[in-house]
Amino acid sequence: MNPDLSRERASATFNPEFITHILDGNPENTRRRREIEDLIVNDPDFQHEDYNFLTRSQRYEAAVKKSAIMVKKMREFGIADPDEIMWFKNFVHRGRPEPLDLHLGMFLPTLLHQATAEQQERFFMPAWNLEITGTYAQTEMGHGTHLRGLETTATYDPKTQEFILNSPTVTSIKWWPGGLGKTSNHAVVLAQLYTQGKCYGLHAFIVPIREIGTHKPLPGISVGDIGPKFGYEEMDNGYLKMDNYRIPRENMLMKYAQVQPDGTYVKPVSNKLTYGTMVFVRSYLVGEAARSLSKACTIAIRYSAVRHQSEIIAGDPEPQILDFQTQQYKLFPLLATAYAFQFVGRFMKDTYYRVNEGIGQGDLTELPELHALTAGLKAFTTWIANAGIEECRMACGGHGYSHCSGIPNIYVTFTPACTFEGENTVMLLQMARFLMKSYNQVLSGKLVGGTVSYLNDLPSQRIQPQQVASRPNVVDINSPESLTEAYRLRASRLVEMAAKNLQTALSHRKNREVAWNLTSVDLVRASEAHCHYVVVKIFGEKLLDIQEKSIQPVLKNLYLLYSLYGINQKSGDFLQGNIMSVSQLTQVNQRIMELLTEIRPNAVALVDAFDFKDMTLGSILGRYDGNVYDNLFEWAKRSPLNKTEVHESYYKHLKPLQSKL
């Protein structure tokens, strides 16, 4: 064990195990997760070469092989609980993408939530047993987030009781779905439904694309891999073109909307029910933002405790770079953010399951907010986590650029989350629609609930005397309640400002869409402020649940740093809104510097509490034992370029050139 890390762990004021239990939900979850991880660590079938030294084709094949073994072992070990499946999958693939991701994460959940009982009988068990391997084909070459713009058509033919699927233009070719290129034999295809001469918008269809047994594309289907990408080398993201391709009427997912044999369309109770799978994945991505940022923080903070560089006092030994205030200012706010997102991820997951249960019983009241909240928080958390992972890489200096650090892999695997399942700016604008609707309800005298209930206070705030309203509040910068209130006021102000600017634009132009576009920057700011408030609120409420005395001050410090750093970064909003004064903002900055010093002794213990095994991190720099340099040298020696002392290119190209000189 590296002596620096031993000293860091010994000086911590708490046992990391207590926080691990909180992050997992309870001690039993921690025990079970570790039990599953140990099954994989000790299984020779899951040992493999370092992916960094494999070609793309080798990485794809290794991922398919591991996925097939993974499914076999899950059956063998009797793993069927959704959380346990996710733990098993993430640990087998070490957080990397794999060709069955969309089969497990989107195809099966879509069947579960949108198929009728008869359809589930036909498709679910074969899919569960991998006789059917599926993907989710929504995005097209020409359209992604703008679902209404999708061009793929499904036209009903009542004579044969079939849907005829077509990709009428080059831009309508399905493009990007994971597992489509080479792995899947079925796809859930989103297409514009035409029946009795009328278009009824997007609906989902189960489409066989390859022959079972030979795996060859079926007649009328063109399918393949879209080529190399920024990352995701293990994943066969694909294209799908359909030419007058027929499927039975019964292959339309009909739990909600239906087409009867004669072509009569029966509409669903709510159009949003069709987007259930997307809502599920977006809520999952909030947790994924937390996990990815937590991994990057673990690597950067452990390495910063091991790495010695430069001098603080001339003549003294080189300090750990974690002792430099600038390094703490880079990393500790990100650590606090990772914890905030961990709690928000758990909140979103619980909310999704609770609302989904209500939908099953016919209660759709919370569906609009769930739809908005998953869109907004997905955007808010993924953007911040994405930038934070890159900050962690740069905080590791030159070695952070090497794949041995593990951070480049975390980054390229996570960064697509900013665009898939809804491009982030569009997601924030979706949330803004919900905020504007809620604001207008309050204006008309109705009360709103859930996370937007703060808007109910707007009318009473407006009738206060001007001189009182313009005096800044006194914010207690050490009080979670007071800080949550400050964020609430900021969100309230920015939502109202966006609503008024939208109204002004509408009064000058009749077209609502043009007015919306001209106000879109303000609308995005309002959505970000709302999401920021929700995160601060959830983090603050989590503090009240903590029973263990030794970790209460530790997590409170992280909460304060997260909240105060956010105020520091968005100080203009708090000043303009008369929420805080200039002198209070100066105090905020001073308190941030104090918190860096207070968090410093517990920094390594706080990343240990995330409980990532070295196998999951895939990092030489972030090793638990801190033995970085010997392992870095050994890793470099394994490079394929070092298999021979003299590379063949020398004899082919350089030697002939040198002999002519």
Side-chain angles (χ1 to χ4, degrees):
M1 183 69 69
N2 177 283
D4 287 317
L5 283 186
S6 295
R7 196 170 57 251
E8 293 286 340
R9 290 177 177 128
S11 68
T13 64
F14 70 98
N15 180 352
E17 193 81 352
F18 291 138
I19 291 184
T20 304
H21 294 160
I22 291 168
L23 296 176
D24 281 332
N26 56 55
E28 174 53 27
N29 283 355
T30 301
R31 185 202 64 75
R32 181 62 177 148
R33 174 179 56 77
R34 287 173 177 168
E35 185 178 41
I36 289 170
E37 288 176 352
D38 289 339
L39 285 174
I40 296 160
V41 169
N42 299 320
D43 192 328
D45 286 338
F46 290 122
Q47 310 311 312
H48 64 75
E49 282 184 70
D50 189 323
Y51 273 25
N52 293 304
F53 299 137
L54 301 180
T55 64
R56 180 171 179 230
S57 185
Q58 289 170 330
R59 282 168 84 149
Y60 170 71
E61 186 175 351
V64 171
K65 181 184 174 185
K66 281 173 74 176
S67 294
I69 295 169
M70 173 186 80
V71 172
K72 186 178 152 198
K73 299 275 182 179
M74 281 197 291
R75 288 178 194 157
E76 199 179 297
F77 298 139
I79 291 170
D81 176 80
D83 281 341
E84 294 190 358
I85 290 171
M86 205 54 75
W87 291 335
F88 200 95
K89 191 178 89 65
N90 280 343
F91 206 70
V92 165
H93 290 280
R94 304 173 195 186
R96 292 173 183 273
E98 55 100 1
L100 291 182
D101 269 354
L102 269 79
H103 175 79
L104 296 168
M106 294 191 80
F107 188 77
L108 287 173
T110 301
L111 291 179
L112 211 51
H113 298 302
Q114 294 187 43
T116 62
E118 181 275 327
Q119 288 173 324
Q120 286 192 18
E121 203 173 303
R122 260 195 308 147
F123 295 111
F124 190 82
M125 283 319 292
W128 182 253
N129 293 324
L130 283 192
E131 294 156 36
I132 287 175
T133 48
T135 184
Y136 191 84
Q138 174 176 295
T139 301
E140 297 174 358
M141 193 190 287
H143 287 91
T145 307
H146 182 55
L147 299 183
R148 282 173 300 178
L150 295 178
E151 299 173 88
T152 302
T153 59
T155 306
Y156 184 63
D157 179 354
K159 290 177 194 158
T160 59
Q161 293 195 23
E162 292 174 315
F163 286 102
I164 307 163
L165 285 105
N166 271 296
S167 309
T169 62
V170 68
T171 50
S172 72
I173 296 169
K174 294 295 180 185
W175 199 268
W176 280 112
L180 177 62
K182 293 292 170 189
T183 310
S184 301
N185 56 29
H186 281 66
V188 167
V189 171
L190 273 285
Q192 303 288 356
L193 166 62
Y194 285 85
T195 181
Q196 296 179 341
K198 189 176 173 185
C199 178
Y200 286 92
L202 273 192
H203 288 73
F205 301 84
I206 301 169
V207 181
I209 55 173
R210 288 184 170 95
E211 187 180 26
I212 291 175
T214 67
H215 207 60
K216 289 186 174 175
L218 291 161
I221 295 286
S222 301
V223 62
D225 179 80
I226 63 169
K229 307 161 293 275
F230 188 41
Y232 265 57
E233 293 189 359
E234 303 84 357
M235 179 70 86
D236 55 325
N237 296 86
Y239 62 79
L240 171 65
K241 186 176 187 297
M242 294 171 290
D243 184 17
N244 289 321
Y245 184 70
R246 288 176 174 262
I247 58 169
R249 180 185 70 88
E250 295 81 9
N251 279 31
M252 172 183 163
L253 287 171
M254 294 206 206
K255 185 174 180 180
Y256 300 117
Q258 291 164 19
V259 171
Q260 294 174 342
D262 67 353
T264 303
Y265 178 76
V266 181
K267 68 178 185 178
V269 182
S270 166
N271 289 331
K272 286 189 168 65
L273 291 169
T274 318
Y275 304 141
T277 305
M278 279 193 308
V279 171
F280 167 73
V281 175
R282 286 171 191 165
S283 66
Y284 169 76
L285 286 173
V286 176
E288 202 51 44
R291 281 183 287 277
S292 298
L293 183 56
S294 299
K295 283 183 192 175
C297 285
T298 301
I299 294 165
I301 286 173
R302 282 182 184 163
Y303 179 60
S304 296
V306 167
R307 179 81 167 174
H308 290 255
Q309 200 84 160
S310 195
E311 294 175 340
I312 293 176
I313 299 168
D316 276 9
E318 289 186 308
Q320 296 160 280
I321 60 172
L322 199 54
D323 287 336
F324 288 99
Q325 190 186 58
T326 49
Q327 190 76 347
Q328 294 168 14
Y329 192 69
K330 284 177 196 171
L331 295 177
F332 292 174
L334 293 174
L335 175 62
T337 302
Y339 268 90
F341 288 1
Q342 289 272 358
F343 298 134
V344 172
R346 163 93 29 198
F347 167 83
M348 280 312 306
K349 183 179 162 189
D350 293 346
T351 303
Y352 172 79
Y353 284 121
R354 179 176 55 75
V355 175
N356 214 49
E357 202 176 308
I359 291 169
Q361 294 161 9
D363 179 8
L364 307 180
T365 50
E366 288 188 78
L367 186 59
E369 180 170 22
L370 176 67
H371 195 261
L373 204 55
T374 51
L377 284 173
K378 178 264 183 188
F380 183 79
T381 57
T382 56
W383 257 339
I384 290 169
N386 191 57
I389 293 163
E390 176 66 355
E391 184 78 7
C392 286
R393 183 191 69 76
M394 291 191 286
C396 291
H399 293 324
Y401 188 67
S402 168
H403 273 301
C404 79
S405 75
I407 299 181
N409 280 322
I410 295 169
Y411 184 81
V412 297
T413 300
F414 181 73
T415 196
C418 295
T419 40
F420 66 41
E421 298 315 311
E423 192 278 329
N424 279 358
T425 303
V426 179
M427 291 298 93
L428 289 172
L429 287 168
Q430 272 192 23
M431 162 148 267
R433 288 193 188 279
F434 176 74
L435 293 174
M436 294 302 103
K437 191 175 176 184
S438 301
Y439 176 84
N440 288 331
Q441 281 180 298
V442 170
L443 277 193
S444 67
K446 293 177 188 167
L447 288 178
V448 291
T451 59
V452 291
S453 58
Y454 62 85
L455 295 175
N456 294 327
D457 299 333
L458 278 171
S460 61
Q461 284 172 11
R462 223 174 278 119
I463 57 169
Q464 288 182 2
Q466 189 59 38
Q467 62 270 27
V468 176
S470 65
R471 192 183 304 138
N473 294 279
V474 177
V475 177
D476 180 351
I477 61 172
N478 290 302
S479 160
E481 294 80 10
S482 190
L483 289 168
T484 302
E485 173 66 5
Y487 274 92
R488 186 185 74 81
L489 289 169
R490 171 180 173 245
S492 179
R493 176 184 166 269
L494 288 178
V495 168
E496 181 165 47
M497 190 175 84
K500 285 181 172 176
N501 289 347
L502 179 61
Q503 196 53 49
T504 302
L506 279 168
S507 67
H508 290 115
R509 293 167 185 80
K510 290 178 184 176
N511 191 318
R512 186 171 177 81
E513 285 71 28
V514 171
W516 184 268
N517 181 47
L518 291 173
T519 324
S520 56
V521 171
D522 291 330
L523 291 163
V524 165
R525 279 182 70 202
S527 292
E528 284 179 330
H530 176 74
C531 291
H532 211 158
Y533 158 69
V534 169
V535 175
V536 168
K537 183 173 181 284
I538 290 166
F539 198 168
E541 286 169 353
K542 190 68 192 174
L543 295 180
L544 302 174
D545 296 340
I546 309 298
Q547 303 299 318
E548 173 56 43
K549 295 239 180 308
S550 64
I551 61 174
Q552 284 172 347
V554 177
L555 290 179
K556 186 180 177 184
N557 278 345
L558 288 178
Y559 169 86
L560 291 175
L561 182 58
Y562 177 75
S563 304
L564 296 175
Y565 186 81
I567 290 171
N568 188 266
Q569 296 296 297
K570 301 287 184 182
S571 55
D573 290 345
F574 290 90
L575 272 175
Q576 283 180 321
N578 287 313
I579 300 162
M580 298 181 87
S581 64
V582 173
S583 64
Q584 280 184 304
L585 289 171
T586 304
Q587 289 169 13
V588 165
N589 196 49
Q590 288 166 348
R591 185 69 182 112
I592 289 170
M593 300 311 151
E594 289 167 10
L595 286 164
L596 299 180
T597 306
E598 289 169 32
I599 291 167
R600 169 66 186 87
N602 286 317
V604 169
L606 281 164
V607 295
D608 284 352
F610 293 135
D611 203 30
F612 293 119
K613 279 188 161 62
D614 285 350
M615 192 174 163
T616 303
L617 286 179
S619 171
I620 303 292
L621 305 190
R623 291 171 60 97
Y624 184 83
D625 65 12
N627 294 329
V628 170
Y629 298 115
D630 288 343
N631 285 289
L632 184 53
F633 188 38
E634 290 305 311
W635 184 85
K637 287 193 282 188
R638 296 207 310 273
S639 168
L641 283 178
N642 293 326
K643 282 184 178 172
T644 57
E645 286 199 337
V646 180
H647 194 268
E648 61 183 352
S649 63
Y650 171 77
Y651 299 108
K652 285 183 184 174
H653 308 294
L654 290 177
K655 193 173 178 184
L657 183 69
Q658 288 166 350
S659 65
K660 289 175 185 173
L661 295 176

